[in-house]
Amino acid sequence: MNFSEVFKLSSLLCKFSPDGKYLASCVQYRLVVRDANTLQILQLYTCLDQIQHLEWSADSLFILCALYKRGLVQVWSLEQPEWHCKIDEGSAGLVASSWSPDGRHILNTTEFHDLSLFSAGITFTRDGRYLALAERRDCRDYVSIFVCSDWQLLRHFDTDTQDLAGIEWAPNGCVLAVWDSCLEYKVLLYSLDGRLLSAFCAYEWSLGIKSVAWSPSSQFLAIGSYDGKVRILNHVTWKMITEFEHPATVNNPKIVVYKEAEKSPPLGHLAFPPPRAATGPLTSSESKYEIASMPVSLQTLKPATDRANPRIGVGALAFSPDNYFLATRNDSVPNAVWIWDIRKLRLLAVLEQLCTVRAFQWGPQQPRLAICTGGSKVYLWSPAGCVSVQVPGEGDFQVLSLCWHPSGDSLALLSKDHFCLCFLEMEKGVRMAFGQRGDCT
Amino acid sequence: MGDWMTVTDPESKTLPQYTSETKMSPSSLYSQQVLCSSIPLSKNVHSYFSAFCTEENIEQSISYLDQELTTFGFPSLYEESKGKETKRELNIVAVLNCMNELLVLQRKNLLAQENVETQNLKLGSDMDHLQNCYAKLKVQKLQNIIASRATQYNHDMKRKEREYNKLKERLHQLVMNKKDKKIAMEVLNYVGRADGKRGSWRTGKTEARNEDEMYKILLNDYEYRQKQILMENAELKKVLQQMKKEMISLLSPQKQKPRERADDSTGTVISDVEEDAGELSRESIWDLSCETVREQLTNSIRKQWRILKSHVEKLDNQVSKVHLEGFNDEDVISRQDHEQETEKLELEIQQCKEMIKTQQQLLQQQLATACDDDTTSLLRDCYLLEEKERLKEEWSLFKEQKKNFEKERRSFTEAAIRLGLERKAFEEERASWLKQQFLNMTTFDHQNSENVKLFSAFSGSSDRDTPTLHSRSRQKKPHGVPSGSPVCTSKLTKSLPASPSTSDFCQTRSCASEHSSSINVLNITPEETKPNQVGRECTNQKWSMSSRPGSQEGCYSGCSLAYTSSHVEKDDLP
C-alpha cells in the first residue's frame, strides 16, 4: 500500500472523475484538477467565492462548482480551459445543483422557485434516461418522472406519504422507491410508469426509516430503521424476506468479530477504548485487528431520547458491488461496522473500532470495504480478512471521509484541511494484519 | 384443665406432645388433631395416634376425651352415674356415635377445603388474565393517544406549511419587485442551458415515443425477471422430484419386511409407488407450470414425507422401547445381542481365515519339495486311502501287463530259439555248400580265409551293434529320462557280450517292433495318470524309457531286461 503526499483540501471536496483519470479538489476558492495516478496538477481554476459543492459531469468533461452563498454556479471545461460558464440565480437562493446524466444540463434547485424542490428529492436512473423529482404542493407529495433526453414529463402522481423523505431509483431503472419521514415507517414502490407496485410498513407508532439502499442487481431493497433493524425486501413480492438485528452482544461462533487493538500498549490502562466523546485523535500508534472470542459484547451508547436526531437506528447501509455483502452501522453501537452475507442472509463479521465509525464505502469493483473513524488510520475489510493501515505523515492526518477511485486501485482519504491518496496494490501485495480467516463463507 | 394436667403429666409422657402448652386452647388442639388426621395415614401417624392412649392411661384419656367432646356439644361418653363418687362406666354407644359424628364432620371439612382450593386457583388465573387484559388495554390506550396526537400534529403541520408558503410567495414577490429579474448567464462558448423549461417541446409524437420507450424498458425488465423465476422454478421442481424418488426408494424396502405396525404404511407405499410412476410419466409430458401438476407434485411429496416421518417416529419408538423395556420384542434385536453376534461372527471369520492359511501353506510345501521319502510318507499320510485305491487298480493293470509280457517273452524266446536253430541249420547248409564248392573249385587256404572272414563278419556285426546300441541309448538320454537309462544301457552292454546271438536276432527281428508298439500303447497309459505323485513319476519315466526304444528292435530284449529290472525295482513300492 502506497501513500501519496498530503495535499491541501477544504470542505472535504475531493472527487474522482467518472472515467478515473482525474481528481478534482477544492482549496478555498480554487479548483485543482490533478492526474489521478501521478497527482500532478493539470488545471487550476479560480472561482469567485468559496466552493460549497463540486461535481463532475458524467462524461468527465466538465466540472460544476456551486457557490451557494453567492448563488452562483460555475462550470469549467477540462478540454478547453478558457471556457467557463457562470449561472447566476440571483437572489433566489441556490440550494442544490447537479448535472443531468448527459452532462449537458444542470439542474439548479432554488428555494424560491414555484415548486420547492427537495435537494434529496431528485434522482436519476443509473442509465441516465429518466429523472424522478419529488415535490410538495399543498401539503401533498408528488413525484414527477421526466425523460432526460427531451425533458418531457412522463408521469406525475401523488404519493401516499405524510412527508416524503427520499426517493431512489432501483439500479435497473424500473422501480422507484419512495419513503416517508422518520415519523412514519412507510416505503412505497412505484413502477416506471407510475403504478404503485407495493407498500411496506413494518410497524407503527415508532420512529421509522433512517436509511435505504438498493442492491446493485435490484433484487433487494434494504431498509434501515430506528429500531436498530435492517429489513430486506425482495423484488418479486416486495415482502420482507429477513430482518437483521444489531444486538449489543454477539454469541454465534460462526461470526468473526474483529476488534481493533493498539499494538503498543498505552501508558495507562490496557486497550481500554477511549470514551466516545473524546474526539481527540489517538496517539499515532499502530493498531491491529484481533479476533475476539465469543461471546463478544460491543460498546453501546445510550441515546438521549428527548433530543432531536437521536443516535439510534441503522444510519448507514451499503451493498457491495458484487451484491454479496451488506455493510451496516447501528448508531447505538457507533464503533462497529456489521457485515452481512447476502447469499446466506446472516451476519458474517463485525468490525469494532476504537473510535466512532465516520464513513465507509465499498470499492467499485471488488468487495472491499474502506472504513474511517476520524483517526489517522484507514481500515480495509475484504472476505479474506481485514487490515488497518496508518496514514504516514508528520502530523496527525485525521481521516474524516474517503472516496474510491472508479477502478478500485486507489482511495482518496480526506481530512479537514488535507487529502492524500492511497494506492492499493494487487490483493497479494497488501499485507494482512493478524485478523485473517481461512474460511469466510 | 389445670388439675387434670398435673395428674396426667407424670403418667403419660406422650400427652405433653399434644398439650405441652398450657395456653393452648382446646379448639387449637382440636384443629391440630384434625390437621393430623387430614394427613394421609402413615406409620408415623399411627404411632402418633397410638401415642395418645396407651394401656396405662385409658381412664385418663377417656375422661379427657369426654371433657373435650362435651365442650364441643357432644353427649358425654360416660353412662349415667348414680353417685358422684363412684367410677363412671364408659358408654360405648355414646362413644360410637361420637366417632361417627366426628367422621361425618371430617368429610365435610375435607370437601370444603377442596372447594376453597379450586376457588383459589380460579381466582389466580382470573387475576392473571385480567392483568394481561389491563396491560393490553393500556397499550391500546397509549396507541390511541399517539394516533390522535399524530393527526393533530399533521393538521398543524399542514396549516403551518400553508402559512409558510404564503409568506414565501409574498416575500418572493416583494424581493422580485425590488431587484431585477435577471438570470444572468455568461457564456463564452456553446453550453447547455439551465433547467426550468419543462415540457417546452411537447409534441404528440415525442410523447408517444417516450411512452413507448418506457413501456419497452418495463417489459424487458419483466421478461428478464420472469425468465429467472422460471429457471428457478424448474430447478426447484427437479430437486423436489429427486427428493420424491429418493424417499420412495428409502421406503420401498419396507415392503419386504412384514410387520404388523408397518402394514398400513407398506400398503400405502406400494400404492404410492404405482401412483407416482404414473405421475412421473405424466409430469414429464406436462413439463409446464400447470396448477394441477404442481399440486400433484407437492401433494405426493407431502405424502411421502409423512410416511417417512411416521417411519422414523416408529423407529424412534422402537429404540426407546428397547431402552426402556429390554429384550422383549422378537423383531427387535437389542444392541448388546447384536454386538455379541457380530463378535461371534468376527471370531468365526478369523478362525476360518487361519484354517485357510494353514491349508495353503501345506499345499505350497507339498508343491515345492522334491520327492523325498519324508514327503512321500507325508503324502501317504494325507492321501492314504485314495492312493491305496489307485495303487490297487494299477497293480492289477501291472499284473495284467506282466502276464502279457511274460507270454510274449516266452513266445519270443521260443521264436528266437527256433530262429537260432534255423540259422544254425542254414549256416551248416551254407558251410557244407561252400565246402562243396570249395572242394570242387578251390584249395585248402581259401577255406581258412573264408572261415576267418565269416567269423570276423559275425563279430564285426556284433561290434557294430554295440556302438549303435550305445548311440541309441545315448540318443534316448536327451529325451529327459533320468536315472533309468544308464542302468538300462549298462545292462544292455552287459547283456550283449553275454549273448551275441540275441544281438544278432535283434537286428533281424521285425515282429519285435509290433510287440513294442503294443507295449508302447500299454506303457503310455500309466504316464497319463497323475503326475503329482512323485513315486508314480519315477515309474512312468522308467516306462517311457522302456517304451521309446520299442520301435528300435535292437533294444527290445535289452528293454525287456530293463523292464524286468524296473519291475523288480517297482516291487519296492508298496
Side-chain angles (χ1 to χ4, degrees), chain B residues 344-358:
Chain B
K344 268 193 242 165
L345 287 168
E346 275 173 11
L347 271 172
E348 267 191 60
I349 289 169
Q350 269 208 322
Q351 283 172 0
C352 291
K353 273 190 190 165
E354 279 167 18
M355 262 177 65
I356 291 170
K357 263 192 207 168
T358 51

Side-chain angles (χ1 to χ4, degrees), chain A residues 83 86 88 91 104 106 112 115 129-130 136 139 146 152 154-155 162 172 174 183 193 195 205 235, chain B residues 147 154 158 161 172 176 184-186 189 191-192 198 201 206 210-211 214-215 217 221-222 225:
Chain A
W83 183 94
K86 189 169 82 175
D88 193 348
S91 49
R104 291 284 170 271
I106 296 163
F112 293 121
L115 313 160
R129 264 197 229 186
Y130 299 100
R136 192 174 176 87
C139 309
F146 295 93
Q152 278 202 5
L154 194 62
R155 287 285 186 277
Q162 292 288 346
N172 65 0
C174 296
L183 292 174
D193 57 345
R195 290 174 299 127
W205 314 126
H235 72 305
Chain B
N154 284 334
K158 280 181 187 154
E161 243 188 278
H172 185 63
M176 282 299 117
M185 207 167 80
E186 287 173 33
N189 215 332
V191 84
R198 261 203 303 258
W201 296 298
T206 50
N210 288 333
E211 292 274 334
M214 179 191 77
Y215 282 123
I217 289 170
D221 183 57
Y222 277 126
R225 271 199 273 160

Side-chain angles (χ1 to χ4, degrees), chain B residues 87-152:
Chain B
K87 192 184 164 190
R88 291 190 289 183
E89 291 204 349
L90 192 62
N91 186 356
I92 291 178
V93 172
V95 166
L96 291 171
N97 283 332
C98 284
M99 270 175 66
N100 186 41
E101 283 293 321
L102 287 169
L103 278 172
V104 165
L105 270 174
Q106 168 74 334
R107 269 193 224 111
K108 268 195 221 168
N109 285 330
L110 280 172
L111 272 171
Q113 200 179 16
E114 270 184 46
N115 290 337
V116 164
E117 277 176 15
T118 49
Q119 231 186 358
N120 203 10
L121 284 169
K122 265 193 217 169
L123 287 170
S125 66
D126 283 344
M127 270 285 282
D128 290 334
H129 178 66
L130 283 170
Q131 273 179 349
N132 287 341
C133 289
Y134 180 65
K136 278 186 205 162
L137 278 171
K138 245 172 108 174
V139 165
Q140 272 184 359
K141 227 193 326 177
L142 285 170
Q143 279 182 349
N144 288 339
I145 291 171
I146 292 173
S148 60
R149 277 199 202 160
T151 48
Q152 229 184 359

Side-chain angles (χ1 to χ4, degrees), chain B residues 232-248 276 279-280 283 293-302 304-305:
Chain B
E232 228 185 283
N233 264 355
E235 274 190 42
L236 287 170
K237 256 196 249 177
K238 250 193 283 178
V239 167
L240 279 174
Q241 285 192 356
Q242 213 181 4
M243 257 174 65
K244 195 176 75 172
K245 274 185 218 165
E246 280 174 15
M247 275 200 278
I248 290 170
D276 289 333
E279 271 177 27
L280 279 170
E283 280 169 19
V293 168
R294 198 164 25 98
E295 270 180 33
Q296 275 172 1
L297 178 61
T298 49
N299 284 339
S300 62
I301 284 192
R302 276 201 205 111
Q304 293 296 328
W305 178 247

Side-chain angles (χ1 to χ4, degrees), chain A residues 52-213:
Chain A
Q52 265 91 38
H53 179 70
L54 176 68
E55 197 171 320
W56 282 91
S57 68
D59 51 6
S60 306
L61 292 176
F62 298 100
I63 306 173
L64 173 155
C65 300
L67 292 67
Y68 295 142
K69 286 186 190 158
R70 284 278 294 264
L72 277 176
V73 175
Q74 286 186 282
V75 184
W76 306 92
S77 157
L78 272 186
E79 287 174 336
Q80 295 159 5
E82 326 76 54
W83 183 94
H84 116 264
C85 158
K86 189 169 82 175
I87 303 166
D88 193 348
E89 289 290 337
S91 49
L94 189 64
V95 173
S97 179
S98 63
W99 283 103
S100 69
D102 60 0
R104 291 284 170 271
H105 302 94
I106 296 163
L107 288 108
N108 293 330
T109 320
T110 61
E111 280 181 7
F112 293 121
H113 214 261
D114 274 345
L115 313 160
S116 61
L117 308 171
F118 293 92
S119 54
I122 189 165
T123 171
F124 288 95
T125 58
R126 206 173 262 197
D127 54 4
R129 264 197 229 186
Y130 299 100
L131 159 72
L133 201 65
E135 51 196 2
R136 192 174 176 87
R137 219 193 305 178
D138 296 333
C139 309
R140 297 194 64 141
D141 298 312
Y142 298 91
V143 171
S144 315
I145 300 181
F146 295 93
V147 183
C148 291
S149 51
D150 49 9
W151 300 112
Q152 278 202 5
L153 176 67
L154 194 62
R155 287 285 186 277
H156 180 81
F157 51 89
D158 67 336
T159 62
D160 189 20
T161 52
Q162 292 288 346
D163 191 6
L164 197 154
I167 56 173
E168 195 167 327
W169 284 105
N172 65 0
C174 296
V175 182
L176 183 69
V178 172
W179 61 93
D180 213 337
S181 72
C182 58
L183 292 174
E184 192 173 333
Y185 194 125
K186 195 188 266 188
V187 171
L188 298 163
L189 291 139
Y190 289 94
S191 156
L192 178 59
D193 57 345
R195 290 174 299 127
L196 176 66
L197 294 171
S198 174
F200 177 71
C201 170
Y203 53 80
E204 292 185 310
W205 314 126
S206 261
L207 288 177
I209 300 173
K210 199 166 184 186
S211 55
V212 171

Side-chain angles (χ1 to χ4, degrees), chain B residues 452-467:
Chain B
V452 170
K453 271 186 197 169
L454 275 168
F455 215 67
S456 66
F458 290 135
S459 59
S461 67
S462 68
D463 288 332
R464 250 185 284 128
D465 283 334
T466 46

Side-chain angles (χ1 to χ4, degrees), chain A residues 336-381:
Chain A
V337 175
W338 309 67
I339 298 171
W340 306 82
D341 184 344
I342 294 297
R343 282 181 294 181
K344 301 197 180 157
L345 289 178
R346 64 173 176 85
L347 183 57
L348 186 64
V350 179
L351 276 75
E352 192 181 20
Q353 315 297 133
L354 292 170
C355 296
T356 311
V357 171
R358 284 194 70 108
F360 55 81
Q361 203 180 37
W362 287 100
Q365 309 285 344
Q366 293 173 12
R368 271 192 295 204
L369 185 67
I371 304 167
C372 66
T373 62
S376 58
K377 299 183 198 64
V378 68
Y379 309 92
L380 285 167
W381 178 91

